[in-house]
Amino acid sequence: MPRSSIFSFESQPRLRAPPWGLAFALCLLAIVELGLARREAVWSHIAFTDVGIVDALESQVLGPIEAEAGVSPRVLFFGNSRARDAFAPRQFESSLDLAEGEVLNLALTRGTAYDAETLYRRNRERLRHAELAFFGVDIIQLDGNIPPNERVRRYAPLGDRLTRFSGEERMELLAGWVWRSYDARDALRRWVKSFFKDPPREIPIAEDGRVEWRTKTMNRNAARRSMSSYARQHFAHYRRDASRRQQLQDFVELLESDGIEVVIVQVPVRERYAGLSRREYIEALGEYEDDVMWAVGDRPMLFWWDASFAGLRDVDFHDYGHVKDPGARKLTRRLATWTRERYGRGLELLAPAPEVDEADSK
Amino acid sequence: MLFNSWSFFAFFALVYLAYVVLTRRAQNLLLLLASWAFYAAWDWRFLSLLWISTGVDFWVARRIEQLDADGADERARRRALYLSLGVNLGILAFFKYFGFFVDSTVELLELFGVQAHRPSLEIVLPVGISFYTFQTMAYTIDVYRRRMRAVRDLELFALYVAYFPQLVAGPIERPQRLLPQLAAPRRVEPEMVTTGVLYIFLGLIRKVGIADVVAPMVDRIFASPQGDPSFTLLAGTLLFGIQIYADFSGYSLIARGLSRLLGIELMQNFRYPYFARNITDFWRRWHISLSSWLRDYLYIPLGGNRGSRLFTYRNLMLTMLLGGLWHGAAWTFVVWGGIHGLALALHKAYMEWRGVDRKAAPEAITWRGWPLAFASWLFTMVVVFVAWIFFRAESFGDAWAVLSGIFAFRGGWDFELGAWVLAMSGWIVLIDLPMARRNEVEAIFRWPFWLRGFVYAAFTLAALLLERSPDAAFIYFQF
């Protein structure tokens, strides 16, 4: 049977009219694409969003540094919301006799290694002279089930979309690169909403230098959830993903190529959550640890899984792993002590690095 | 690989490009391999079940025909049929109902004070198993009933079982309808391409723009319904009715659209069910491929209406109870089926009492008849939506909390939720009404081009911009 017989266009009368409806729809969609979705303005400065926290850090934390001559960041914190809440820069500075502005907490809500790399690359000139970076690692960052967030959709170039993400994500990110309205769907929705209700434009920065993201409602809702539901959410379907591991390794290597010493920190979790993870999800926990080890290699790592490692108690947490202010003070003190012992009070021992204390590192 | 994922889009584009350049024989091989790859993308291990079903039913049908030719007695033919039913229902029972039966037995024993050991066997439910099992059983039963000849081409039969546009959530196609289409050379008319694309578009809008948008609200309400205001519970129930309709009819429409592009016509699975004015009419419009399957392979073999009234009501009830159980291994689904069975029996009794043919389509509405027609529609919807509560709830406790909570008239308004109910039902009506009037999706082609274009663009943007549940699978995949 000749292949042309599959379709009968040749033997049938042609479509009576061109698909004008479709053409008209495409014109309307093109107007939205070119007039809105491809314009920077649609993404800009709405606080408490994945992209908004990047804007806030760049304008409210990194911006003032540039204005103040003579201050250059020496210690950087990266990670996700747990690292964002856990490490207080001003306290860390005073513990190590560093000047104000020399320690920055650049951890992002829902932040992954790829997000941290994006933020670093965007501000590389400002940050490349840092000497020490802590990356707060978390199971959520390495779980292949967690889709790329809005930061990836806003900032990732085509090359990254094709090579640094896997499978379905790659397809979706490629589609978003071609059809920017798809990438910018959340931003477009916020843009539409902003006509009805003016959104917040800035995120408050606390006196201790941490981003103040959490609201009372968030804390109340977080406290209501059981540890078992958190553990189930994080471990029950944990999916190893080579691209996530690779992103963490790439970020660490990028910092090292700029001469920055990198320390991986596992921000502690509540005792009950830690116990559940070991009792009920030991396999997933093991896989996660292996993934971190693979990405980090023999670099210094503080795997403080149990809260007791850092002297934290249940009351120091909002939920399974986000610390309250007293918890942040304890954790920052603990990390500052470790840093002082390892690198000296003013980081004067930073290079060459001594061996890691066995008791502290896993 | 969901129909609304970009990877499926790429998968289908690749398959389609190859499809159009191949001959019919090679097309079937391509479709078969693509179907298996599509299924393996969920879980490759369960391909073996698909192959077992395929192999057993192919062989059994041939065997039944051979026995016929040899003049064997009816018992031998029946034994062959039982083998097919045993294997298919055995697979279904083990993978879908094993845990349910064990739990129910243990709970029953515990009621009598007997402590029973609950085996800790975690069985994963293979996606689409209920659909393809029913499809293969329909084939063997039809060969047994001498309604069709057994297929001699294994590749053709394997494609009938695994055809990917309808593999995981139907429509459950009949062999007399699908097999000849797969066997014959395909002719794709231009209209099939344009309507195929339209079906896919409207299906995606239903799934992405409606079902996935209301899903998080429904999940939130049904997660802990105890003590919620009556309005919230009522809104949650209405939204679930919208969600399941948009989700499943969206899937079916995409499946039909994809198939049309391949030159194969699948059956209509939904015919605007929320416009039904009685429960019998509802079941002629909702999940048509399942309801007709249950009628032909369960209700009629049980005796149908060939007996006393009570006998007929019993058959209706049994059919709907098993139909409920088909949806999921939980007593809440059985109750859902029971409510529908009872409603169908009552409607049948009412129509017999009035001396009206129940099977006749509802009369056209006259001006005088509007109030009655409206009351009839409202009553039907109350029954359907009350039943949805049991379908959606995780447990009887939750179902009762929702049902009693609605009628407890607890105060508390949620205007945003109310607005969502209005907006989403409005959208459903907007999509369905013009098509329902003529019972054809293509009604939209008669609109002026600017209105059509505006609707396409507006629907696309609305689906894009509405906040929705990420990566929400189609509800019927779990069945």
Side-chain angles (χ1 to χ4, degrees):
Chain A
M1 182 180 148
R3 70 162 207 80
S4 58
S5 65
I6 303 303
F7 283 87
S8 54
F9 292 106
E10 292 147 49
S11 56
Q12 294 290 317
R14 295 207 166 261
L15 282 170
R16 272 168 298 199
W20 289 119
L22 182 64
F24 185 58
L26 289 176
C27 285
L28 293 175
L29 292 174
I31 290 170
V32 174
E33 174 80 3
L34 299 173
L36 272 176
R38 288 189 178 268
R39 292 170 71 101
E40 269 300 292
V42 84
W43 293 95
S44 68
H45 294 275
I46 294 183
F48 302 105
T49 62
D50 286 349
V51 171
I53 192 170
V54 175
D55 289 333
L57 288 173
E58 289 182 346
S59 61
Q60 295 168 244
V61 176
L62 292 167
I65 293 172
E66 214 163 41
E68 281 183 44
V71 178
S72 175
R74 296 180 67 190
V75 180
L76 308 174
F77 286 99
F78 294 100
N80 65 2
S81 55
R82 299 213 298 121
R84 178 202 69 199
D85 291 351
F87 302 115
R90 299 295 87 81
Q91 185 191 345
F92 200 82
E93 285 159 356
S94 62
S95 301
L96 284 142
D97 290 344
L98 299 175
E100 185 170 338
E102 287 189 331
V103 179
L104 301 178
N105 186 339
L106 301 175
L108 300 163
T109 307
R110 285 183 286 277
T112 62
Y114 184 84
D115 296 328
E117 184 184 323
T118 301
L119 180 65
Y120 182 78
R121 283 189 188 280
R122 285 172 57 82
N123 300 281
R124 198 167 180 180
E125 283 313 305
R126 291 164 171 166
L127 301 175
R128 66 185 312 160
H129 302 296
E131 294 154 62
L132 181 62
F134 292 95
F135 184 84
V137 74
D138 205 350
I139 187 165
I140 298 166
Q141 296 161 339
L142 297 178
D143 187 347
N145 294 310
I146 310 291
N149 56 45
E150 197 184 33
R151 283 182 287 265
V152 179
R153 289 189 261 127
R154 181 182 180 186
Y155 298 117
L158 180 61
D160 280 8
R161 290 169 190 245
L162 292 176
T163 58
R164 302 190 63 190
F165 293 87
S166 54
E168 175 67 25
E169 291 171 357
R170 188 183 297 155
M171 294 304 306
E172 194 191 6
L173 292 171
L174 178 62
W177 187 83
V178 174
W179 185 25
R180 197 68 174 146
S181 304
Y182 180 75
D183 249 358
R185 57 193 183 275
D186 296 333
L188 282 167
R189 181 168 57 245
R190 287 195 299 270
W191 181 79
V192 171
K193 279 185 181 171
S194 70
F195 287 99
F196 302 99
K197 189 179 174 188
D198 196 29
R201 305 285 173 178
E202 288 196 339
I203 301 175
I205 307 293
E207 282 187 4
D208 62 10
R210 289 178 302 150
V211 166
E212 282 190 329
W213 182 283
R214 301 189 71 88
T215 60
K216 282 180 183 167
T217 313
M218 276 174 73
N219 292 337
R220 203 168 42 242
N221 291 340
R224 276 186 194 159
R225 277 188 67 183
S226 66
M227 290 304 109
S228 56
S229 92
Y230 280 120
R232 190 166 51 247
Q233 182 192 339
H234 298 151
F235 290 100
H237 305 289
Y238 178 70
R239 183 164 65 82
R240 304 183 84 169
D241 186 307
S243 66
R244 297 287 194 281
R245 287 196 309 249
Q246 189 61 50
Q247 286 167 12
L248 177 57
Q249 191 178 62
D250 290 347
F251 179 52
V252 171
E253 286 174 356
L254 174 70
L255 293 176
E256 284 179 341
S257 71
D258 283 347
I260 301 172
E261 168 93 352
V262 182
V263 178
I264 303 298
V265 185
Q266 170 63 61
V267 181
V269 293
R270 262 163 92 152
E271 291 293 335
R272 176 157 162 65
Y273 175 91
L276 275 169
S277 67
R278 269 192 295 269
R279 270 199 313 279
E280 294 182 19
Y281 305 104
I282 187 68
E283 196 177 332
L285 180 63
E287 286 177 350
Y288 162 60
E289 287 181 9
D290 287 349
D291 286 342
V292 176
M293 297 287 191
W294 182 92
V296 173
D298 56 0
R299 296 170 183 91
M301 179 162 75
L302 304 168
F303 207 89
W304 288 339
W305 186 243
D306 292 68
S308 57
F309 285 171
L312 297 175
R313 292 179 302 141
D314 274 4
V315 290
D316 293 319
F317 289 92
H318 287 296
D319 52 18
Y320 75 97
H322 290 88
V323 290
K324 296 177 181 172
D325 291 351
R329 282 195 288 275
K330 285 183 194 172
L331 199 52
T332 306
R333 191 185 314 129
R334 179 80 180 86
L335 190 63
T337 305
W338 181 87
T339 309
R340 202 167 50 233
E341 285 170 3
R342 184 175 167 87
Y343 299 115
R345 181 166 285 276
L347 303 180
E348 65 273 5
L349 303 174
L350 195 56
E355 286 301 305
V356 184
D357 184 0
E358 284 297 314
D360 279 334
S361 64
K362 186 173 165 51
Chain B
M1 195 155 40
L2 300 172
F3 279 176
N4 56 329
S5 68
W6 293 101
S7 55
F8 179 78
F9 182 77
F11 165 82
F12 187 76
L14 284 175
V15 170
Y16 200 58
L17 280 176
Y19 185 80
V20 296
V21 298
L22 293 173
T23 60
R24 201 272 306 167
R25 180 84 198 177
Q27 279 180 335
N28 277 6
L29 185 60
L30 171 76
L31 284 182
L32 178 60
L33 295 176
S35 299
W36 285 347
F38 175 75
Y39 197 71
W42 300 101
D43 196 328
W44 60 269
R45 294 169 302 174
F46 294 132
L47 262 181
S48 55
L49 296 179
L50 196 65
W51 290 338
I52 290 170
S53 260
T54 307
V56 166
D57 282 284
F58 180 76
W59 182 82
V60 165
R62 296 283 306 271
R63 175 81 186 140
I64 288 172
E65 208 166 65
Q66 186 61 46
L67 288 168
D68 243 358
D70 296 346
D73 68 353
E74 197 58 25
R75 278 179 303 181
R77 295 177 76 249
R78 198 174 298 145
R79 272 200 300 274
L81 175 69
Y82 286 163
L83 174 67
S84 158
L85 298 183
V87 170
N88 282 304
L89 293 176
I91 290 174
L92 198 58
F94 180 74
F95 283 94
K96 190 162 177 171
Y97 300 107
F98 179 80
F100 171 68
F101 287 134
V102 168
D103 287 348
S104 300
T105 309
V106 169
E107 280 162 22
L108 189 69
L109 289 173
E110 281 172 358
L111 266 183
F112 293 101
V114 180
Q115 287 299 315
H117 172 65
R118 201 181 294 247
S120 56
L121 190 59
E122 281 191 20
I123 301 167
V124 180
L125 178 67
V127 69
I129 189 168
S130 308
F131 290 91
Y132 71 73
T133 305
F134 270 36
Q135 191 157 308
T136 52
M137 284 187 345
Y139 163 76
T140 313
I141 294 170
D142 281 355
V143 171
Y144 172 78
R145 289 172 172 174
R146 300 188 181 94
R147 287 187 182 165
M148 63 177 295
R149 302 290 309 273
V151 176
R152 300 189 177 282
D153 181 347
L154 178 60
E155 181 196 320
L156 181 69
F157 182 68
L159 179 57
Y160 161 74
V161 179
Y163 182 54
F164 74 86
Q166 46 89 241
L167 171 61
V168 290
I172 304 166
E173 281 293 333
R174 296 304 177 81
Q176 294 93 334
R177 184 186 162 88
L178 186 55
L179 276 167
Q181 291 191 73
L182 294 174
R186 253 81 80 186
R187 288 179 68 83
V188 184
E189 310 296 339
E191 287 74 16
M192 285 187 87
V193 176
T194 49
T195 51
V197 172
L198 178 70
Y199 285 8
I200 294 169
F201 173 74
L202 290 176
L204 283 172
I205 292 296
R206 281 171 198 234
K207 168 65 179 160
V208 179
I210 299 176
D212 290 355
V213 172
V214 300
M217 302 174 219
V218 174
D219 291 348
R220 200 181 63 237
I221 294 166
F222 276 85
S224 55
Q226 288 80 5
D228 273 357
S230 299
F231 178 77
T232 305
L233 297 172
L234 178 64
T237 305
L238 295 174
L239 286 174
F240 177 67
I242 292 169
Q243 182 198 354
I244 194 163
Y245 171 57
D247 191 281
F248 194 21
S249 70
Y251 174 88
S252 298
L253 213 46
I254 298 170
R256 288 184 73 200
L258 292 169
S259 202
R260 278 200 157 201
L261 293 182
L262 297 168
I264 293 160
E265 189 75 50
L266 295 182
M267 70 180 292
Q268 190 179 12
N269 215 11
F270 288 86
R271 212 164 43 80
Y272 322 107
Y274 289 153
F275 293 125
R277 279 185 278 146
N278 61 58
I279 198 72
T280 309
D281 190 27
F282 176 83
W283 276 103
R284 280 199 290 258
R285 294 162 174 264
W286 179 273
H287 202 173
I288 299 164
S289 65
L290 176 69
S291 55
S292 59
W293 196 101
L294 291 172
R295 181 196 62 209
D296 294 346
Y297 299 101
L298 188 60
Y299 175 70
I300 293 174
L302 279 172
N305 56 4
R306 301 185 303 275
S308 69
R309 282 182 186 176
L310 275 178
F311 181 71
T312 305
Y313 301 153
R314 184 209 72 158
N315 292 340
L316 264 177
M317 200 68 192
L318 271 177
T319 303
M320 293 313 290
L321 287 172
L322 289 170
L325 197 60
W326 176 89
H327 282 86
W331 288 108
T332 46
F333 288 114
V334 179
V335 170
W336 173 80
I339 292 172
H340 278 283
L342 188 65
L344 283 167
L346 288 174
H347 181 245
K348 187 172 173 54
Y350 172 72
M351 296 306 263
E352 280 167 355
W353 174 68
R354 279 188 58 198
V356 180
D357 180 9
R358 190 176 65 101
K359 289 178 183 165
E363 298 155 14
I365 306 171
T366 59
W367 279 109
R368 280 189 187 170
W370 262 103
L372 187 64
F374 178 76
S376 170
W377 170 81
L378 189 65
F379 184 68
T380 307
M381 289 304 112
V382 168
V383 172
V384 168
F385 278 80
V386 164
W388 282 141
I389 294 173
F390 288 90
F391 194 94
R392 175 60 182 80
E394 299 288 334
S395 63
F396 278 123
D398 282 358
W400 181 246
V402 175
L403 193 56
S404 60
I406 289 173
F407 294 103
F409 302 108
R410 275 194 294 271
W413 292 95
D414 186 334
F415 288 103
E416 194 181 331
L417 209 53
W420 276 113
V421 173
L422 283 178
M424 288 294 134
S425 11
W427 201 0
I428 288 271
V429 172
L430 196 67
I431 297 174
D432 275 11
L433 194 59
M435 297 183 276
R437 287 183 62 191
R438 290 172 180 269
N439 187 26
E440 59 172 10
V441 179
E442 296 83 344
I444 197 169
F445 286 135
R446 277 187 281 277
W447 297 1
F449 84 89
W450 58 268
L451 180 61
R452 224 165 47 230
F454 180 78
V455 167
Y456 294 157
F459 279 12
T460 306
L461 287 174
L464 196 67
L465 295 187
L466 289 170
E467 205 156 2
R468 59 181 179 269
S469 165
D471 301 328
F474 288 90
I475 294 174
Y476 264 68
F477 281 13
Q478 64 187 295
F479 306 140

mmCIF file of all heavy atoms in Angstrom, chain A residues 222-245:
data_model
loop_
_atom_site.group_PDB
_atom_site.id
_atom_site.type_symbol
_atom_site.label_atom_id
_atom_site.label_comp_id
_atom_site.label_asym_id
_atom_site.label_seq_id
_atom_site.Cartn_x
_atom_site.Cartn_y
_atom_site.Cartn_z
ATOM 1 N N ALA A 222 2.712 25.076 60.200
ATOM 2 C CA ALA A 222 3.839 24.139 60.292
ATOM 3 C C ALA A 222 3.768 23.355 61.592
ATOM 4 O O ALA A 222 4.028 22.148 61.624
ATOM 5 C CB ALA A 222 5.157 24.903 60.200
ATOM 6 N N ALA A 223 3.404 24.055 62.666
ATOM 7 C CA ALA A 223 3.369 23.384 63.975
ATOM 8 C C ALA A 223 2.271 22.330 64.040
ATOM 9 O O ALA A 223 2.364 21.365 64.791
ATOM 10 C CB ALA A 223 3.163 24.428 65.072
ATOM 11 N N ARG A 224 1.229 22.493 63.221
ATOM 12 C CA ARG A 224 0.102 21.549 63.243
ATOM 13 C C ARG A 224 0.462 20.204 62.617
ATOM 14 O O ARG A 224 -0.126 19.193 62.938
ATOM 15 C CB ARG A 224 -1.063 22.131 62.446
ATOM 16 C CG ARG A 224 -1.929 23.075 63.243
ATOM 17 C CD ARG A 224 -3.107 23.461 62.382
ATOM 18 N NE ARG A 224 -3.792 24.598 62.946
ATOM 19 C CZ ARG A 224 -4.581 25.404 62.259
ATOM 20 N NH1 ARG A 224 -4.765 25.186 60.970
ATOM 21 N NH2 ARG A 224 -5.177 26.408 62.825
ATOM 22 N N ARG A 225 1.390 20.234 61.679
ATOM 23 C CA ARG A 225 1.677 18.985 60.946
ATOM 24 C C ARG A 225 2.506 18.030 61.781
ATOM 25 O O ARG A 225 3.368 18.443 62.553
ATOM 26 C CB ARG A 225 2.428 19.301 59.648
ATOM 27 C CG ARG A 225 1.515 19.692 58.520
ATOM 28 C CD ARG A 225 2.274 19.795 57.233
ATOM 29 N NE ARG A 225 2.783 18.498 56.763
ATOM 30 C CZ ARG A 225 3.525 18.366 55.690
ATOM 31 N NH1 ARG A 225 3.838 19.425 54.973
ATOM 32 N NH2 ARG A 225 3.956 17.187 55.311
ATOM 33 N N SER A 226 2.243 16.763 61.587
ATOM 34 C CA SER A 226 2.969 15.769 62.374
ATOM 35 C C SER A 226 4.320 15.480 61.729
ATOM 36 O O SER A 226 4.510 15.665 60.530
ATOM 37 C CB SER A 226 2.159 14.481 62.442
ATOM 38 O OG SER A 226 2.067 13.908 61.160
ATOM 39 N N MET A 227 5.246 15.012 62.569
ATOM 40 C CA MET A 227 6.581 14.666 62.055
ATOM 41 C C MET A 227 6.490 13.521 61.046
ATOM 42 O O MET A 227 7.242 13.481 60.078
ATOM 43 C CB MET A 227 7.492 14.242 63.214
ATOM 44 C CG MET A 227 7.899 15.359 64.145
ATOM 45 S SD MET A 227 8.709 16.722 63.292
ATOM 46 C CE MET A 227 7.460 17.965 63.415
ATOM 47 N N SER A 228 5.548 12.614 61.295
ATOM 48 C CA SER A 228 5.455 11.479 60.367
ATOM 49 C C SER A 228 5.009 11.944 58.983
ATOM 50 O O SER A 228 5.450 11.401 57.973
ATOM 51 C CB SER A 228 4.501 10.416 60.906
ATOM 52 O OG SER A 228 3.251 10.996 61.159
ATOM 53 N N SER A 229 4.161 12.976 58.935
ATOM 54 C CA SER A 229 3.728 13.430 57.604
ATOM 55 C C SER A 229 4.886 14.132 56.888
ATOM 56 O O SER A 229 5.046 14.005 55.677
ATOM 57 C CB SER A 229 2.501 14.330 57.704
ATOM 58 O OG SER A 229 2.849 15.680 57.805
ATOM 59 N N TYR A 230 5.704 14.866 57.632
ATOM 60 C CA TYR A 230 6.889 15.470 57.000
ATOM 61 C C TYR A 230 7.839 14.380 56.501
ATOM 62 O O TYR A 230 8.361 14.442 55.384
ATOM 63 C CB TYR A 230 7.634 16.350 58.007
ATOM 64 C CG TYR A 230 7.035 17.715 58.220
ATOM 65 C CD1 TYR A 230 6.587 18.120 59.466
ATOM 66 C CD2 TYR A 230 6.948 18.634 57.171
ATOM 67 C CE1 TYR A 230 6.049 19.380 59.685
ATOM 68 C CE2 TYR A 230 6.411 19.895 57.377
ATOM 69 C CZ TYR A 230 5.960 20.260 58.629
ATOM 70 O OH TYR A 230 5.428 21.507 58.827
ATOM 71 N N ALA A 231 8.082 13.393 57.370
ATOM 72 C CA ALA A 231 9.028 12.336 56.998
ATOM 73 C C ALA A 231 8.528 11.586 55.769
ATOM 74 O O ALA A 231 9.304 11.290 54.847
ATOM 75 C CB ALA A 231 9.213 11.378 58.172
ATOM 76 N N ARG A 232 7.214 11.322 55.756
ATOM 77 C CA ARG A 232 6.643 10.609 54.606
ATOM 78 C C ARG A 232 6.814 11.430 53.332
ATOM 79 O O ARG A 232 7.203 10.926 52.289
ATOM 80 C CB ARG A 232 5.162 10.324 54.873
ATOM 81 C CG ARG A 232 4.529 9.394 53.870
ATOM 82 C CD ARG A 232 3.181 8.864 54.314
ATOM 83 N NE ARG A 232 2.279 9.922 54.737
ATOM 84 C CZ ARG A 232 1.853 10.093 55.972
ATOM 85 N NH1 ARG A 232 2.239 9.279 56.929
ATOM 86 N NH2 ARG A 232 1.033 11.081 56.295
ATOM 87 N N GLN A 233 6.540 12.726 53.463
ATOM 88 C CA GLN A 233 6.646 13.607 52.289
ATOM 89 C C GLN A 233 8.077 13.618 51.727
ATOM 90 O O GLN A 233 8.291 13.609 50.528
ATOM 91 C CB GLN A 233 6.233 15.024 52.692
ATOM 92 C CG GLN A 233 6.267 16.012 51.541
ATOM 93 C CD GLN A 233 6.130 17.457 52.035
ATOM 94 O OE1 GLN A 233 5.642 17.706 53.138
ATOM 95 N NE2 GLN A 233 6.575 18.391 51.241
ATOM 96 N N HIS A 234 9.054 13.629 52.633
ATOM 97 C CA HIS A 234 10.435 13.776 52.171
ATOM 98 C C HIS A 234 11.092 12.467 51.756
ATOM 99 O O HIS A 234 11.958 12.457 50.892
ATOM 100 C CB HIS A 234 11.277 14.432 53.269
ATOM 101 C CG HIS A 234 10.804 15.821 53.604
ATOM 102 N ND1 HIS A 234 10.947 16.391 54.830
ATOM 103 C CD2 HIS A 234 10.165 16.745 52.852
ATOM 104 C CE1 HIS A 234 10.422 17.606 54.840
ATOM 105 N NE2 HIS A 234 9.942 17.841 53.642
ATOM 106 N N PHE A 235 10.687 11.369 52.409
ATOM 107 C CA PHE A 235 11.440 10.128 52.187
ATOM 108 C C PHE A 235 10.686 9.057 51.409
ATOM 109 O O PHE A 235 11.306 8.244 50.740
ATOM 110 C CB PHE A 235 11.861 9.525 53.537
ATOM 111 C CG PHE A 235 12.915 10.315 54.236
ATOM 112 C CD1 PHE A 235 12.587 11.178 55.260
ATOM 113 C CD2 PHE A 235 14.244 10.214 53.862
ATOM 114 C CE1 PHE A 235 13.546 11.929 55.903
ATOM 115 C CE2 PHE A 235 15.218 10.955 54.499
ATOM 116 C CZ PHE A 235 14.863 11.822 55.527
ATOM 117 N N ALA A 236 9.355 9.040 51.545
ATOM 118 C CA ALA A 236 8.606 7.894 51.008
ATOM 119 C C ALA A 236 8.836 7.714 49.511
ATOM 120 O O ALA A 236 8.855 6.592 49.009
ATOM 121 C CB ALA A 236 7.121 8.053 51.302
ATOM 122 N N HIS A 237 8.997 8.817 48.792
ATOM 123 C CA HIS A 237 9.152 8.692 47.331
ATOM 124 C C HIS A 237 10.456 9.307 46.849
ATOM 125 O O HIS A 237 10.544 9.751 45.705
ATOM 126 C CB HIS A 237 7.956 9.349 46.633
ATOM 127 C CG HIS A 237 6.638 8.817 47.084
ATOM 128 N ND1 HIS A 237 6.217 7.562 46.758
ATOM 129 C CD2 HIS A 237 5.672 9.345 47.876
ATOM 130 C CE1 HIS A 237 5.032 7.342 47.318
ATOM 131 N NE2 HIS A 237 4.686 8.410 48.003
ATOM 132 N N TYR A 238 11.444 9.348 47.727
ATOM 133 C CA TYR A 238 12.717 9.964 47.332
ATOM 134 C C TYR A 238 13.252 9.289 46.064
ATOM 135 O O TYR A 238 13.347 8.075 45.988
ATOM 136 C CB TYR A 238 13.742 9.832 48.465
ATOM 137 C CG TYR A 238 15.100 10.415 48.108
ATOM 138 C CD1 TYR A 238 15.262 11.778 47.971
ATOM 139 C CD2 TYR A 238 16.199 9.592 47.890
ATOM 140 C CE1 TYR A 238 16.499 12.319 47.624
ATOM 141 C CE2 TYR A 238 17.440 10.117 47.553
ATOM 142 C CZ TYR A 238 17.582 11.482 47.428
ATOM 143 O OH TYR A 238 18.798 12.021 47.082
ATOM 144 N N ARG A 239 13.567 10.120 45.077
ATOM 145 C CA ARG A 239 14.051 9.559 43.807
ATOM 146 C C ARG A 239 15.435 10.131 43.508
ATOM 147 O O ARG A 239 15.610 11.342 43.423
ATOM 148 C CB ARG A 239 13.088 9.912 42.672
ATOM 149 C CG ARG A 239 13.493 9.309 41.334
ATOM 150 C CD ARG A 239 12.339 9.361 40.354
ATOM 151 N NE ARG A 239 11.941 10.709 39.992
ATOM 152 C CZ ARG A 239 12.547 11.445 39.066
ATOM 153 N NH1 ARG A 239 13.591 10.974 38.403
ATOM 154 N NH2 ARG A 239 12.109 12.662 38.784
ATOM 155 N N ARG A 240 16.374 9.240 43.414
ATOM 156 C CA ARG A 240 17.750 9.678 43.123
ATOM 157 C C ARG A 240 17.784 10.260 41.717
ATOM 158 O O ARG A 240 17.153 9.752 40.810
ATOM 159 C CB ARG A 240 18.708 8.503 43.228
ATOM 160 C CG ARG A 240 18.631 7.824 44.566
ATOM 161 C CD ARG A 240 19.624 6.720 44.676
ATOM 162 N NE ARG A 240 20.931 7.250 45.076
ATOM 163 C CZ ARG A 240 21.941 6.487 45.458
ATOM 164 N NH1 ARG A 240 21.816 5.185 45.490
ATOM 165 N NH2 ARG A 240 23.082 7.022 45.817
ATOM 166 N N ASP A 241 18.547 11.338 41.574
ATOM 167 C CA ASP A 241 18.590 12.003 40.279
ATOM 168 C C ASP A 241 20.018 12.459 40.039
ATOM 169 O O ASP A 241 20.559 13.294 40.777
ATOM 170 C CB ASP A 241 17.623 13.200 40.302
ATOM 171 C CG ASP A 241 17.509 13.867 38.943
ATOM 172 O OD1 ASP A 241 18.561 14.221 38.363
ATOM 173 O OD2 ASP A 241 16.393 14.022 38.463
ATOM 174 N N ALA A 242 20.606 11.895 39.014
ATOM 175 C CA ALA A 242 22.008 12.183 38.734
ATOM 176 C C ALA A 242 22.229 13.662 38.452
ATOM 177 O O ALA A 242 23.266 14.232 38.816
ATOM 178 C CB ALA A 242 22.464 11.334 37.553
ATOM 179 N N SER A 243 21.242 14.298 37.797
ATOM 180 C CA SER A 243 21.443 15.709 37.448
ATOM 181 C C SER A 243 21.479 16.589 38.702
ATOM 182 O O SER A 243 22.217 17.558 38.766
ATOM 183 C CB SER A 243 20.351 16.186 36.486
ATOM 184 O OG SER A 243 19.104 16.173 37.111
ATOM 185 N N ARG A 244 20.697 16.236 39.723
ATOM 186 C CA ARG A 244 20.709 17.017 40.962
ATOM 187 C C ARG A 244 22.077 16.898 41.657
ATOM 188 O O ARG A 244 22.635 17.863 42.133
ATOM 189 C CB ARG A 244 19.623 16.516 41.916
ATOM 190 C CG ARG A 244 18.222 16.662 41.413
ATOM 191 C CD ARG A 244 17.779 18.119 41.439
ATOM 192 N NE ARG A 244 16.345 18.229 41.272
ATOM 193 C CZ ARG A 244 15.717 18.133 40.103
ATOM 194 N NH1 ARG A 244 16.405 17.952 39.000
ATOM 195 N NH2 ARG A 244 14.408 18.240 40.034
ATOM 196 N N ARG A 245 22.562 15.659 41.728
ATOM 197 C CA ARG A 245 23.884 15.435 42.349
ATOM 198 C C ARG A 245 24.945 16.223 41.613
ATOM 199 O O ARG A 245 25.807 16.853 42.201
ATOM 200 C CB ARG A 245 24.254 13.947 42.266
ATOM 201 C CG ARG A 245 23.510 13.045 43.187
ATOM 202 C CD ARG A 245 24.231 11.712 43.299
ATOM 203 N NE ARG A 245 24.535 11.117 42.000
ATOM 204 C CZ ARG A 245 23.949 10.017 41.529
ATOM 205 N NH1 ARG A 245 23.040 9.414 42.243
ATOM 206 N NH2 ARG A 245 24.283 9.521 40.363
#
